[in-house]
Amino acid sequence: MTCIFCKIIDGSIPSKKIFENHELIAFHDAHPVDKVHFLITPKKHIENLIACSEIDKDIISNMLLLAPKLAKELGLKGFRTMINSGVEGGQEVFHMHFHVYGGGSKLVKI
Ligand code: AMP
Ligand code: ZN
């Protein structure tokens, strides 16, 4: 098994874990782009949104619903989400994850 996030999920690679349940895990990004930057990822290995199907809709909605809860716990009043999908979408780790970040003063509008 070569997937780095699967290794984080099974504990063989350490992470700064924020949340874990039967379905999802969240941990701080190793290279934060903002004051707070964490990732939410499913325990099930799904490559990205492109590889998702109807059977993954509960996972996707639970990932999104978890974002504001964890952001609030980490002191954020607002945050941004980013989901990179595929090489052309800038994805580097091919285990689906949602970036959640905020708290800094610099906000580049897109
Ligand atoms: P993406 O470009 O959307 O695939 O983003 C992958 C993210 O995973 C990057 O922001 C990396 O900094 C982050 N990352 C890679 N390896 C680790 C790790 N071992 N622990 C925490 N974050 C990681
Ligand atoms: Zn994986």
Side-chain angles (χ1 to χ4, degrees):
M1 192 235 297
T2 55
C3 173
I4 191 167
F5 286 2
C6 281
K7 287 181 178 169
I8 284 176
I9 290 158
D10 76 15
S12 57
I13 288 181
S15 68
K16 289 162 76 179
K17 204 187 299 176
I18 302 165
F19 174 89
E20 181 170 13
N21 68 9
H22 66 287
E23 181 182 59
L24 307 178
I25 186 168
F27 52 91
H28 290 280
D29 196 292
H31 303 284
V33 298
D34 211 325
K35 194 170 171 189
V36 174
H37 180 182
F38 62 90
L39 306 173
I40 299 174
T41 192
K43 289 188 169 176
K44 175 183 173 185
H45 181 94
I46 308 169
E47 269 203 347
N48 51 36
L49 276 182
I50 301 161
C52 281
S53 65
E54 191 74 10
I55 58 167
D56 300 311
K57 66 184 177 188
D58 285 347
I59 289 177
I60 295 166
S61 60
N62 289 337
M63 287 171 76
L64 283 173
L65 289 169
L66 185 58
K69 290 181 189 160
L70 297 182
K72 189 177 178 192
E73 281 177 26
L74 293 169
L76 297 180
K77 294 189 176 73
F79 57 87
R80 303 187 119 189
T81 53
M82 173 74 80
I83 309 168
N84 297 324
S85 305
V87 172
E88 292 187 20
Q91 186 176 7
E92 291 180 355
V93 176
F94 283 80
H95 181 131
M96 183 170 71
H97 52 280
F98 295 177
H99 295 255
V100 182
Y101 54 98
S105 53
K106 282 181 285 175
L107 182 62
V108 180
K109 279 278 179 198
I110 55 167

